Amino acid sequence: MQLTKSLTHTEADVMVQGSDASTLSHIQQRGVAAAVWQRELALDFSDWIRELNPENLPQFRSLVTVDALEKSIHAACDLSHTPLGKHRDMLAGDIAALGFIMSKIMENSLLHVRLEPVNTNACRKFHVDNMTARMLCTYRGRGTQVAQRGAEDTPITVTAGDAILLRGARWLGKEETTLQHRSPPIIGTGETRLLLAIDPGSDYKPEIINH
């Protein structure tokens, strides 16, 4: 596990990384601004999702209970004509598993889940979400970029498949989160990403749901 030392007790500026799902729970520790569960997507799954026609990538945005999440993703896949089979099952199952982890960490079984193809420079500016916390996972294309405030010229790009849990501006406590993130600029490259974002349902207000 990698741990970047926090320089102050009033700022959350640490990014913890590890190969176990329990790494994500470190978001609750003092000074931690982000936790990354480093994962390797199965090669056959990565090939499958990369080769899908962008029109067949599922789109979903809704408040949903964690128990209903997997079926909801399959319903979104049906609407997008995402091919049936084990790889679609893997996608829906993985999203449901990440939702379960998020619900346990945030102690909230209601989630706001967004799964969407991205082919623009959406959220190209570094920012901290107006949320308690947000989990992000890129299944296709380049991953989310993170940078400390003041060091935006040297961002770190999260590997596709990794799950990153970030504190938002509404995290309880007196620590200020200084680790920012953005979607990688991809306009003009022909790339289409598939991005998952999971927020606690208690944070949901239509006007503050952003990328």
Side-chain angles (χ1 to χ4, degrees):
M1 179 180 295
Q2 178 179 338
L3 182 65
T4 304
K5 186 177 180 181
S6 180
L7 300 179
T8 75
H9 296 300
T10 58
E11 293 183 349
D13 55 8
V14 173
M15 185 169 73
V16 178
Q17 301 180 74
S19 58
D20 189 88
S22 63
T23 303
L24 295 171
S25 65
H26 285 73
I27 196 70
Q28 298 171 326
Q29 293 185 356
R30 188 174 185 177
V32 175
V36 182
W37 176 17
Q38 297 173 311
R39 315 186 300 163
E40 281 193 33
L41 296 175
L43 183 59
D44 59 333
F45 174 84
S46 296
D47 290 342
W48 172 79
I49 203 162
R50 184 178 61 249
E51 293 169 4
L52 273 182
N53 187 316
E55 294 181 356
N56 298 129
L57 293 171
Q59 301 182 56
F60 180 81
R61 182 191 289 254
S62 184
L63 281 167
V64 60
T65 62
V66 65
D67 292 340
L69 182 51
E70 187 167 359
K71 288 184 178 179
S72 297
I73 297 300
H74 272 297
C77 287
D78 288 339
L79 290 173
S80 297
H81 304 290
T82 309
L84 290 167
K86 72 170 186 177
H87 296 114
R88 187 175 117 166
D89 292 344
M90 291 169 66
L91 176 63
D94 191 69
I95 292 171
L98 292 180
F100 178 78
I101 293 170
M102 183 68 162
S103 72
K104 291 299 183 183
I105 292 174
M106 303 306 298
E107 299 182 347
N108 192 332
S109 62
L110 183 65
L111 305 169
H112 184 272
V113 178
R114 172 166 51 89
L115 180 67
E116 63 180 1
V118 179
N119 56 19
T120 66
N121 287 348
C123 290
R124 66 187 182 277
K125 295 183 178 180
F126 283 102
H127 63 282
V128 175
D129 291 315
N130 187 21
M131 290 283 166
T132 305
R134 172 167 287 171
M135 183 185 289
L136 298 170
C137 181
T138 303
Y139 287 102
R140 168 172 159 160
R142 278 174 277 183
T144 299
Q145 293 183 325
V146 295
Q148 290 289 348
R149 187 172 60 202
E152 292 86 355
D153 291 340
T154 55
I156 296 171
T157 300
V158 177
T159 302
D162 288 358
I164 179 170
L165 180 54
L166 297 134
R167 284 192 192 183
R170 299 169 66 187
W171 185 267
L172 297 178
K174 297 181 179 180
E175 293 180 329
E176 179 186 4
T177 298
T178 64
L179 190 67
Q180 306 173 94
H181 67 280
R182 72 173 182 181
S183 293
I186 59 172
I187 197 164
T189 66
E191 180 179 336
T192 299
R193 303 170 64 226
L194 183 64
L195 176 67
L196 171 71
I198 305 177
D199 308 320
S202 56
D203 278 348
Y204 176 70
K205 291 182 181 178
E207 66 271 19
I208 65 171
I209 297 298
N210 50 40
H211 297 70

